[in-house]
Amino acid sequence: MLKAELGTEWSDRKIERWFRNQRRQMMKPKILKFCETMWRAFYFIFAFSYGTSVVINKSWFWNPIECWENYPMQELTPEVQNYYFLGCAHALSLCLTLFTDIVRKDFKAKIVHHAATLCLLVFSYVCGYTRIGALGLFKEIFNKKIIVFSYVAT
């Protein structure tokens, strides 16, 4: 049937071989999936550990009401600033490399998610919402760490 539609002189066997080769080229080997997942797992372990060391000893981590005290003249410590830059760099790299990664079912949702994450981080940094932004980033990294480890398990 396909042969008649294409109007080609290819045999059925040659058409099947062509489709198999095309499908094989679109699939990445499992070793590449494993390497990508392990790289992300390494990043999230590092980012979560660094984030924990940054925000765990802040008073506004334990009492989120303090996130709004002295706004907009809140002190931005170098640790929180570095944590922000780490989160922004990661979100930007994901936006730029999303098209070369393994394509999953939620590809479109990932594009929107990474772009929104980057916009929220930049907005909160520029507007001075760094305390609540650091808490949001900490929660985001914690959630992503769980997702990546579920990928590792499968």
Side-chain angles (χ1 to χ4, degrees):
M1 183 168 150
L2 182 63
K3 190 173 174 182
E5 288 178 17
L6 293 174
T8 181
E9 299 197 11
W10 283 11
S11 68
D12 288 339
R13 178 92 171 119
K14 189 170 184 178
I15 292 172
E16 288 173 10
R17 192 176 309 129
W18 183 83
F19 275 116
R20 223 175 299 120
N21 285 336
Q22 291 298 316
R23 192 174 338 115
R24 196 176 304 127
Q25 287 175 358
M26 290 189 321
M27 295 186 323
K28 288 193 176 181
K30 287 192 178 207
I31 189 73
L32 289 179
K33 289 181 182 181
F34 177 76
C35 290
E36 177 186 330
T37 304
M38 291 311 294
W39 167 246
R40 289 196 180 169
F42 172 75
Y43 166 76
F44 286 121
I45 289 170
F46 171 76
F48 181 73
S49 301
Y50 183 69
T52 302
S53 70
V54 168
V55 299
I56 201 85
N57 59 1
K58 305 291 185 201
S59 62
W60 42 266
F61 178 75
W62 301 105
N63 185 11
I65 303 281
E66 291 184 24
C67 288
W68 310 112
E69 286 183 2
N70 300 329
Y71 177 79
M73 304 309 244
Q74 297 173 341
E75 177 187 357
L76 178 63
T77 62
E79 303 93 36
V80 173
Q81 187 175 23
N82 290 338
Y83 189 50
Y84 252 88
F85 290 157
L86 178 72
C88 285
H90 184 253
L92 182 62
S93 73
L94 287 176
C95 284
L96 296 176
T97 62
L98 194 59
F99 301 99
T100 61
D101 287 345
I102 289 124
V103 178
R104 300 187 193 272
K105 291 183 277 189
D106 58 349
F107 178 74
K108 291 178 185 176
K110 283 170 60 174
I111 292 173
V112 172
H113 173 76
H114 295 318
T117 301
L118 184 61
C119 289
L120 285 171
L121 283 172
V122 170
F123 175 78
S124 66
Y125 184 80
V126 169
C127 293
Y129 295 112
T130 53
R131 291 179 180 176
I132 201 72
L135 290 178
L137 181 59
F138 184 74
K139 180 197 144 308
E140 170 77 12
I141 289 174
F142 179 75
N143 290 345
K144 291 264 183 127
K145 182 181 73 143
I146 292 171
I147 290 170
V148 166
F149 283 118
S150 70
Y151 284 159
V152 170
T154 58

